[in-house]
Amino acid sequence: MAKRKRACLFCGNTENLTSEHVFPQWLLDGMGIRKKKMDLSHLTLLGNSISERPLTPNTLINGLVCRKCNNEWLSRMEDEIKPYLLPLIKGVPQYPLEEYHKELSLWAFKTAIILNNASNYRNIVPRRHFRYLYKHRRIPENVCVLFSITENIVDLNWVQSQGVMHSGINNSISEDTRFHDIYKITIQLGPILIKVIYSPFYEYKYVLDKPSHMMLHPYLAGTGKDFVAAEDLMSFDIEGSMFSR
């Protein structure tokens, strides 16, 4: 049997594959962590370590992105968020969050799905989401992006799981073929926390009921009015993970 050709996650091109940095070099340089040695862990939902992977952030790359995607529309996405993200991480935001929630949520979604594919964790993001982003340049239906801040500052960390709850659903959910497409990826960059969460059960919608969660996508006007900071990465990841009819 012929070996299947490696192809770009986004456009499907099998030629000119490059190494896309999961976290852009300008961001790592701005945070001063490009070559910082880190021991990143895979954690269970209870916070227990499954495995550890020592690395420096600049070595975390994805080799399934073609040169055209990398140098064109993905590069433009980085340019659009660059003026906002570093000041936000450094605690000196130059603009209100509502002015760039679209750019931030789109960048967070792109980064989260590339991270999942590049990391030594099972691929939980369906390939159609990469294709959808390429074709439409927007976030797929029923994907939500949440934002928070914490005083428990860590340079860089993330959690990946399928720990998404559904209220009012019967026990057959685990037998539905859509069940395997559920995903949740939560990233910490300094004091900021971003969660990308997806349910393929479109009859269920995300429940925003935690004061530590601000809705970036779909954007909710007035989000964060009663905001309180999250305790840490794990609490932000576990809390606010409910979809309901």
Side-chain angles (χ1 to χ4, degrees):
M1 182 181 294
K3 188 176 181 180
R4 186 177 180 181
K5 277 192 173 183
R6 298 168 73 248
C8 177
L9 293 166
F10 296 102
C11 69
N13 185 11
T14 58
E15 303 295 331
N16 299 315
L17 295 181
T18 63
S19 296
E20 162 75 351
H21 287 91
V22 174
F23 298 99
Q25 301 301 284
W26 59 262
L27 177 61
L28 301 179
D29 286 340
M31 296 178 66
I33 61 171
R34 182 194 278 219
K35 296 184 178 181
K36 183 175 181 179
K37 293 182 179 180
M38 297 181 176
D39 290 316
L40 298 174
S41 301
H42 282 162
L43 305 176
T44 68
L45 290 177
L46 298 177
N48 299 316
S49 178
I50 299 174
S51 65
E52 292 188 358
R53 180 187 184 186
L55 54 75
T56 56
N58 66 314
T59 62
L60 188 61
I61 59 175
N62 191 311
L64 293 178
V65 180
C66 74
R67 180 176 292 113
K68 185 175 177 64
C69 285
N70 197 353
N71 292 344
E72 294 184 7
W73 66 275
L74 286 170
S75 180
R76 288 195 297 271
M77 195 178 294
E78 297 291 343
D79 290 341
E80 289 171 357
I81 195 58
K82 190 174 182 179
Y84 307 109
L85 188 54
L86 269 178
L88 181 63
I89 292 172
K90 292 181 177 180
V92 287
Q94 304 298 307
Y95 305 91
L97 193 57
E98 57 265 25
E99 291 189 13
Y100 58 96
H101 67 87
K102 182 177 180 180
E103 291 84 358
L104 181 56
S105 58
L106 195 61
W107 179 87
F109 172 71
K110 178 272 298 182
T111 301
I113 65 175
I114 290 179
L115 170 64
N116 172 246
N117 188 267
S119 61
N120 62 337
Y121 189 81
R122 69 185 185 277
N123 293 338
I124 55 177
V125 178
R127 286 294 181 97
R128 68 178 183 274
H129 279 195
F130 293 89
R131 302 284 197 267
Y132 188 94
L133 180 60
Y134 169 73
K135 183 177 181 180
H136 301 285
R137 305 292 199 270
R138 64 175 184 263
I139 297 172
E141 182 180 358
N142 232 31
V143 173
C144 295
V145 182
L146 292 305
F147 173 86
S148 191
I149 59 173
T150 180
E151 294 182 357
N152 192 344
I153 297 175
V154 176
D155 287 328
L156 175 65
N157 206 350
W158 60 82
V159 182
Q160 304 179 78
S161 77
Q162 292 182 296
V164 179
M165 295 175 285
H166 293 77
S167 175
I169 200 166
N170 58 42
N171 294 330
S172 64
I173 180 174
S174 61
E175 300 171 5
D176 193 302
T177 56
R178 295 176 292 174
F179 178 78
H180 301 288
D181 286 345
I182 293 171
Y183 64 83
K184 180 175 61 172
I185 302 166
T186 306
I187 299 171
Q188 180 167 5
L189 294 165
I192 75 168
L193 302 166
I194 300 176
K195 175 161 60 183
V196 177
I197 185 170
Y198 170 66
S199 170
F201 298 93
Y202 295 157
E203 62 271 30
Y204 291 80
K205 299 302 177 185
Y206 180 76
V207 178
L208 182 64
D209 61 351
K210 302 298 180 184
S212 60
H213 286 56
M214 298 172 62
M215 181 80 88
L216 293 183
H217 178 85
Y219 185 66
L220 182 63
T223 185
K225 184 176 64 173
D226 300 315
F227 175 77
V228 296
E231 181 180 348
D232 54 24
L233 172 67
M234 289 304 300
S235 66
F236 179 69
D237 176 72
I238 295 171
E239 295 177 352
S241 297
M242 176 75 74
F243 284 75
S244 181
R245 285 186 186 272

